[in-house]
Amino acid sequence: MAYPAKYSTLNELQLTQEARRILVRIIRVAFPHPKIPDGPYERMADKIIAESNESTWFRVALTQGLLTLNQQGGENFLDLSDDRALAVLQRIADLDFFGFIRRTTVLNFYDDPEVWDVFGYEGESFSKGGYLHRGFDDLDWLPSPRVEEADEPLTEIGPLGYDIAQQAPQRVRDAADSTGEEPVEDLFKGQDKVEEGRTI
């Protein structure tokens, strides 16, 4: 989308109420949570609009993007079913204006206390005295742990399926007898002993 646009309506910098409703719908379709009421989505739309005011480029991109979104679906975006609306968003996923919406939403939407309530998150604990005495180990959503010994017998693993060497290989022991040096098996060079190190 270029600015100024060919059509005067696309040069508009003021978002209409319909454009704001479209923005709310975009956020709900892109971040669908049926249990979350409209409030957080509407506040997120206002946050995006406020963020766009800090940059003329983002303001123009957002305004033009919302005004032309209906062309993607062939009808009013607000009237599309969720599946068709999602298909429209998938087609514009690489556009800068949608990237701005997505990025701002990811960073701010889940920081809304009303969203926390839906997900069961109580928020930070420091101001409430921490988690220690506030049920941090209250696992009432899990079965009670079994603390007594089990009645079933332990499974016997049995002997290993291979032999464990009890001493060094014969060729290593022969080398030790003939040289009087303590041999070390060199797994990398195949020698019976490691030569004294030298500085190069």
Side-chain angles (χ1 to χ4, degrees):
M1 298 176 189
Y3 180 78
K6 178 179 179 181
Y7 301 102
S8 59
T9 55
L10 296 183
N11 292 327
E12 180 61 57
L13 289 178
Q14 297 299 320
L15 287 173
T16 64
Q17 284 300 313
E18 182 181 9
R20 181 181 178 275
R21 289 194 296 271
I22 292 175
L23 180 56
V24 172
R25 180 79 197 287
I26 289 174
I27 301 170
R28 183 172 279 283
V29 172
F31 298 85
H33 298 287
K35 294 183 178 180
I36 295 180
D38 292 336
Y41 288 99
E42 293 174 351
R43 286 191 291 273
M44 190 64 250
D46 292 336
K47 174 71 173 178
I48 292 173
I49 293 172
E51 291 280 340
S52 70
N53 287 333
E54 298 180 5
S55 168
T56 302
W57 190 93
F58 278 128
R59 182 69 168 181
V60 173
L62 179 64
T63 305
Q64 293 185 9
L66 294 176
L67 287 173
T68 58
L69 188 63
N70 290 337
Q71 299 176 6
Q72 298 291 328
E75 58 183 291
N76 194 315
F77 185 78
L78 296 174
D79 297 332
L80 297 177
S81 65
D82 289 346
D83 290 340
R84 292 183 61 191
L86 179 60
V88 170
L89 296 186
Q90 289 172 337
R91 288 200 296 271
I92 66 170
D94 294 331
L95 296 183
D96 289 334
F97 105 92
F98 182 73
F100 171 64
I101 294 173
R102 179 176 54 215
R103 180 171 60 254
T104 307
T105 302
V106 167
L107 294 176
N108 296 277
F109 182 72
Y110 298 101
D111 199 29
D112 190 312
E114 192 171 357
V115 175
W116 297 351
D117 291 340
V118 173
F119 293 149
Y121 174 56
E122 298 179 357
E124 57 83 23
S125 66
F126 181 78
S127 63
K128 304 177 182 67
Y131 287 117
L132 183 59
H133 301 296
R134 296 180 57 247
F136 81 100
D137 58 348
D138 182 10
L139 301 180
D140 53 1
W141 49 276
L142 288 177
S144 299
R146 187 180 65 185
V147 295
E148 67 277 0
E149 291 292 336
D151 295 332
E152 56 268 17
L154 296 176
T155 302
E156 181 63 39
I157 297 178
L160 297 175
Y162 52 88
D163 295 330
I164 299 178
Q166 301 298 321
Q167 57 184 355
Q170 184 63 46
R171 61 189 176 89
V172 177
R173 286 184 280 121
D174 292 343
D177 293 339
S178 62
T179 63
E181 297 182 10
E182 185 67 23
V184 178
E185 183 76 6
D186 186 349
L187 300 178
F188 300 100
K189 297 182 180 180
Q191 299 176 353
D192 291 332
K193 61 183 179 180
V194 176
E195 300 292 341
E196 181 179 355
R198 291 178 296 174
T199 302
I200 300 177

